[in-house]
Amino acid sequence: LEQIEKQLAKLVEVVSIKHCDPATTVVRELALIKVATDANTRHRVIEAANIFRARIVDIAVDSLVVEATGSEDKIAALIRLLAPFGIRELVRTGLTAMERGCEVLRKEG
């Protein structure tokens, strides 16, 4: 963990790093999933997305892009459900976390 933090700290985009306690942290992941669809399967993909409270963010003639946020397990389950339709492209952010309550990672100023 320490080595990972040192490597991340070298990146320009990283402002601060803090190891968070899972018990006091909100943790989420974002995934964009492009799924192959046609007139026969589109409604089934939309229904599957709705079950996971995911959003359809793009509709094309032969595909849909589903946006989902949640735990790693939720994202993995949605991917397994959509896989039989044909996942054309998949992007995942990895875990993002923020501590609960009024504690902040970095104070402004």
Side-chain angles (χ1 to χ4, degrees):
L1 184 60
E2 184 179 331
Q3 184 62 34
I4 292 170
E5 288 177 354
K6 287 179 182 178
Q7 292 296 321
L8 288 172
K10 292 179 184 179
L11 299 174
V12 175
E13 296 84 7
V14 176
V15 176
S16 180
I17 299 169
K18 181 178 180 183
H19 183 72
C20 298
D21 177 5
T24 60
T25 306
V26 175
V27 180
R28 294 290 183 269
E29 182 173 0
L30 166 69
L32 296 174
I33 309 162
K34 187 180 293 181
V35 183
T37 61
D38 57 29
N40 298 321
T41 60
R42 179 170 287 121
H43 71 281
R44 293 184 10 225
V45 172
I46 292 170
E47 287 175 3
N50 288 336
I51 291 169
F52 284 85
R53 295 189 185 131
R55 295 179 23 188
I56 305 302
V57 294
D58 184 67
I59 299 175
V61 173
D62 58 354
S63 67
L64 294 174
V65 176
V66 178
E67 173 190 299
T69 59
S71 68
E72 287 179 289
D73 292 340
K74 176 183 173 182
I75 301 298
L78 177 59
I79 291 168
R80 281 193 303 273
L81 186 63
L82 296 176
F85 295 102
I87 294 177
R88 291 191 171 171
E89 195 169 2
L90 170 66
V91 180
R92 293 175 76 163
T93 62
L95 296 177
T96 303
M98 180 179 285
E99 283 192 289
R100 297 179 189 275
C102 63
E103 185 70 27
V104 295
L105 184 60
R106 180 175 156 230
K107 296 187 189 308
E108 295 298 317

